[in-house]
Amino acid sequence: MTQRLAGKTALITGSTSNIGRSVARLFAAEGAHVIVSGRDATRGDAVVAAIRADGGRADLVPADLDGGSAASRALAAAARAALGRPLDILVNNAGVFPPATTLETDDATFDRVYGVNVKAPFFLTQAVVPEMIDNGGGVIVNLGSWVARLGLPVGGLYSSTKGAVETLTRAWAAEFGPLGIRVNAVSPGVIRPPDLAPDAAYPGEDLMTGTPAGRSGHPDAIAAAALYLAGDEAGFVHGTVLDVDGGRTGVAVLAAPPGARHHAG
């Protein structure tokens, strides 16, 4: 590895599995001291053990980010204590996705999804930014989603939270950029959890039919994008939402049998 994050500290929320786990492992491989965080301590311990086995530095700080400011402040303080110094990088990755329609969504579900997906990263950012400023700067990478910009008949509540996160990304870039903190986001497409059996169906994979990639993605692709945005190579990148979605949002999707050609008339 190139050690692009050597000497840096990083907190990745929701990093006990899938995208967050890939981000944590890659950041650690690139030299960062990583705080792994999530609700499942057993899975978190496994991520930390894997990082340490590869020669990286990582510690687990379990957290259930319910959207309350107290939970976010507690995580920020615990991460600071485990690291022994302020954070350089925050990755707001934790999120929940209920596949319900609008007519099926009740009050509790609405409050939980907005709590985890919007309020938690909002208050965690609020908690870590002052120390980043005092420490001379920092980087925040948010996780958006392609569904924030393309309408689907299910998951409207989730889509709206990711739209909020992408809006916050631009607003925070304007608010915190002059204070030395870069804020950007990665917008994943359909990402297949690597823990699934190879022959297991995964909801949403059919939505990649007709895209340039023609398939779902792997969490490592999102981790690579997050690494770029967190590193010095992206020093001139502010308020950007980087689409890593196999072309799902940027290219016209033309459903057709494999190998078929389309001609514009």
Side-chain angles (χ1 to χ4, degrees):
M1 290 290 180
T2 57
Q3 296 290 291
R4 281 181 280 182
L5 301 181
K8 301 293 187 181
T9 58
L11 166 61
I12 298 99
T13 66
S15 49
T16 60
S17 64
N18 298 337
I19 290 174
R21 177 175 59 194
S22 287
V23 173
R25 295 193 66 170
L26 181 58
F27 278 27
E30 290 285 350
H33 183 174
V34 169
I35 296 297
V36 174
S37 185
R39 290 175 293 168
D40 191 322
T42 300
R43 292 195 306 188
D45 283 335
V47 177
V48 169
I51 289 172
R52 291 177 177 174
D54 290 337
R57 299 181 67 196
D59 291 285
L60 174 66
V61 177
D64 184 0
L65 297 176
D66 59 4
S69 59
S72 291
R73 287 197 301 267
L75 174 56
R80 173 69 168 80
L83 293 166
R85 51 159 292 189
L87 276 174
D88 296 306
I89 303 163
L90 169 64
V91 180
N92 285 312
N93 168 73
V96 292
F97 173 77
T101 66
T102 298
L103 300 182
E104 296 167 341
T105 300
D106 58 20
D107 288 20
T109 300
F110 187 100
D111 291 342
R112 172 163 171 72
V113 176
Y114 261 83
V116 175
N117 294 7
V118 182
K119 291 180 66 179
F122 183 94
F123 287 117
L124 185 55
T125 297
Q126 183 188 75
V128 305
V129 159
E131 277 204 343
M132 283 185 172
I133 295 171
D134 291 342
N135 198 41
V139 176
I140 298 171
V141 180
N142 297 322
L143 267 291
S145 174
W146 67 278
V147 298
R149 279 162 286 149
L150 285 178
L152 293 176
V154 296
L157 177 62
Y158 174 83
S159 300
S160 70
T161 66
K162 288 305 181 179
V165 167
E166 293 188 5
T167 296
L168 283 171
T169 296
R170 291 181 284 269
W172 285 341
E175 184 176 357
F176 302 135
L179 302 174
I181 299 172
R182 291 191 300 106
V183 186
N184 294 287
V186 181
S187 176
V190 178
I191 303 299
R192 181 182 176 86
D195 298 335
L196 283 180
D199 58 347
Y202 181 63
E205 285 190 290
D206 57 336
L207 294 171
M208 295 302 292
T209 300
T211 64
R215 57 175 176 80
S216 57
H218 189 280
D220 288 352
I222 310 306
L227 174 63
Y228 164 68
L229 292 175
D232 293 340
E233 293 168 318
F236 198 55
V237 181
H238 293 260
T240 289
V241 177
L242 178 57
D243 292 322
V244 186
D245 61 6
R248 189 61 180 80
T249 55
V251 180
V253 174
L254 304 173
R261 290 192 175 186
H262 299 272
H263 298 277

